[in-house]
Amino acid sequence: MKETKQVPGSPEAGNALHAVMAAFEAFRDANDQRLGEIERKAAADVLLEEKVARIDAAVAGAQARLDRVVSEGRRPELAPSVSAFGRTTSPMKGEDTKAAFGDYMRSGFGLEVKAGLSTASNSAGHVVPEQTERAIERRLMAASPMREIATVRTVASGTFRKPVSIAGIEAGWVAETAARPETDPATLALLEFPSADLYACPAATQALLDDALVDLDDWLASEVEDAFAAQETQAFVAGDGVNKPKGFLAYDAVADGDAEWGEIGYVASGAAGAFASTSPVDRLIDLIYAPKARYRPNGRFVMNRKTVSAVRKFKDADGNYVWQPAGRPGETASLLGYPVTEIETMPDVAANSLSIAFGDFQRGYLIVDRAGVRVLRDPYSAKPYVLFYTTKRVGGGVQNFDAIKVMKFAAS
């Protein structure tokens, strides 16, 4: 289980939460006024519609700021990881190797003499010291929303294989002296999660590298953070599995009652390319109850910002808004009582789109990190810049098809 650092008392978190609450209060008042005009006149004033849209954008911006603060506070204290050679390593060791790697980044020399503690090299480059790899992992954990909600596993092989039971063992009741008939064994399936190369090529000037005050570990981690996080998130959501992880939306989507193992069950929104015109909240409730009961306690909604903007206007039968901002620092916004994770690579609402997902993503989706990040220093290809061709191997896919369900924007 991941350790997390919470910052419930930080001034920045408190200010961000206050901004969200104030913006939502203004949104609620303006939207109630808009709904009242629609009831009286069958249409709302254009200026009022624009006002609601502006305030909604302000709510989204304030919520994004709060989410960033919460994400920073949830950066995990990573446990000792498996090295590229399958050995467990300690974050307190390898300072000589780190210094040698810094010399390599600055000048291209140094590792040949001092390597041997935890680095290795070949034509693909040098394996970075564990401190640098862990810095990259921490930044990716904070920047990638899927890494926050899914299971992340570090492995020492190129392909991770996981046997899963798709039909549990049978059991039965018998009398004390009755015969015990043999029961059918569990049905097992072998899931494979191959790792694919993810690369980035940050550039630096030699003057930057020569600056003794620059922490090159932190510089490299910050340079590849956004590039890696964007590519990973896109792949974890919709990747086709060819030279990249397979996203949970890339599997066949079948009406929930007919879905089998290997398929993602969906609940229809009730209208083609839109929410149902009447009682749209009912379909969201249907989506919540599509996974089995054991997956709901840790369930959450996943959608992009535009879809959040749409559901933010919905009310339940008692006239209460179903979307609510976070109640205190360290929490996130909720929809019908379940947390909402905004992932911008989720598709916009359109005909037959799978724009909302719900479920226990920690049990449903697995991210596999192949231990070892490689860096190849290239001072020749883009002179006067020095390029650092950085690669890591990542895989991913659905590990439990019962734990994640989606909403398809279709009539049925």
Side-chain angles (χ1 to χ4, degrees):
M1 185 174 179
K2 299 182 294 186
E3 284 187 33
T4 59
K5 299 181 294 182
Q6 298 291 343
V7 287
S10 71
E12 186 177 5
N15 293 337
L17 178 62
H18 177 74
V20 171
M21 298 295 289
F24 184 66
E25 287 290 333
F27 168 81
R28 185 166 53 188
D29 293 341
N31 194 55
D32 286 345
Q33 185 179 353
R34 181 184 70 89
L35 294 175
E37 282 201 2
I38 291 175
E39 290 182 1
R40 294 193 304 271
K41 306 176 183 178
D45 181 74
V46 175
L47 294 178
L48 184 56
E49 292 279 10
E50 293 177 351
K51 178 182 179 181
V52 171
R54 286 196 305 271
I55 299 176
D56 180 65
V59 175
Q63 183 64 48
R65 178 191 171 198
L66 178 60
D67 289 343
R68 284 195 298 271
V69 174
V70 172
S71 180
E72 288 291 326
R74 287 178 175 171
R75 285 188 177 182
E77 296 290 347
L78 298 176
S81 62
V82 179
S83 73
F85 309 102
R87 296 191 297 266
T88 300
T89 56
S90 168
M92 299 306 293
K93 297 178 181 180
E95 289 301 323
D96 290 342
T97 304
K98 180 181 177 181
F101 185 75
D103 292 341
Y104 167 73
M105 292 188 67
R106 286 186 165 90
S107 65
F109 300 99
L111 277 178
E112 289 79 2
V113 176
K114 298 181 180 178
L117 290 175
S118 63
T119 62
S121 65
N122 59 22
S123 59
H126 290 273
V127 177
V128 304
E130 186 184 357
Q131 295 94 327
T132 307
E133 182 178 354
R134 286 162 63 83
I136 294 173
E137 289 175 349
R138 287 190 185 97
R139 285 181 172 271
L140 284 178
M141 188 69 73
S144 172
M146 278 297 293
R147 283 183 175 270
E148 284 197 358
I149 64 177
T151 295
V152 181
R153 185 161 187 165
T154 302
V155 298
S157 61
T159 299
F160 177 68
R161 295 174 175 86
K162 179 180 179 179
V164 295
S165 175
I166 60 177
I169 60 174
E170 293 186 357
W173 297 98
V174 293
E176 180 179 0
T177 58
R180 269 66 172 174
E182 183 178 350
T183 60
D184 292 334
T187 302
L188 297 177
L190 184 65
L191 299 181
E192 292 190 350
F193 302 90
S195 300
D197 285 346
L198 177 63
Y199 73 93
C201 199
T205 63
Q206 189 61 49
L208 173 67
L209 299 176
D210 290 340
D211 190 342
L213 296 180
V214 174
D215 184 336
L216 292 181
D217 283 1
D218 186 68
W219 173 83
L220 181 65
S222 63
E223 287 293 305
V224 301
E225 172 189 352
D226 289 340
F228 279 1
Q231 290 294 327
E232 281 189 349
T233 303
Q234 174 65 34
F236 296 153
V237 172
D240 60 10
V242 179
N243 298 323
K244 61 175 70 71
K246 188 166 185 177
F248 61 89
L249 295 185
Y251 295 85
D252 291 337
V254 179
D256 186 50
D258 300 324
E260 299 179 351
W261 186 262
E263 300 171 333
I264 298 292
Y266 74 77
V267 172
S269 67
F275 288 97
S277 57
T278 58
S279 302
V281 177
D282 290 350
R283 299 306 177 100
L284 292 173
I285 295 174
D286 291 341
L287 180 60
I288 290 173
Y289 284 91
K292 295 179 180 178
R294 61 178 175 271
Y295 302 116
R296 287 198 293 273
N298 293 318
R300 66 175 55 244
F301 284 97
V302 171
M303 64 190 82
N304 69 19
R305 186 173 8 180
K306 288 185 178 180
T307 309
V308 170
S309 178
V311 300
R312 190 179 285 129
K313 300 179 178 69
F314 294 165
K315 293 183 177 183
D316 61 18
D318 297 324
N320 301 311
Y321 283 90
V322 296
W323 184 94
Q324 291 293 323
R328 59 176 182 264
E331 296 181 350
T332 186
S334 63
L335 177 61
L336 292 168
Y338 290 91
V340 178
T341 297
E342 291 187 20
I343 300 181
E344 288 309 307
T345 54
M346 287 290 288
D348 293 338
V349 173
N352 297 318
S353 66
L354 306 175
S355 301
I356 300 178
F358 177 83
D360 185 342
F361 281 80
Q362 190 168 34
R363 298 175 70 175
Y365 196 87
L366 176 65
I367 297 171
V368 176
D369 284 330
R370 169 71 160 85
V373 176
R374 290 186 178 272
V375 173
L376 177 64
R377 188 181 191 274
D378 177 9
Y380 307 110
S381 299
K383 292 179 291 189
Y385 298 100
V386 180
L387 305 180
F388 295 92
Y389 179 69
T390 307
T391 60
K392 72 188 301 286
R393 303 192 68 186
V394 184
V398 174
Q399 63 177 343
N400 188 332
F401 293 89
D402 294 330
I404 300 175
K405 305 296 180 181
V406 296
M407 176 170 285
K408 182 177 181 179
F409 283 81
S412 60

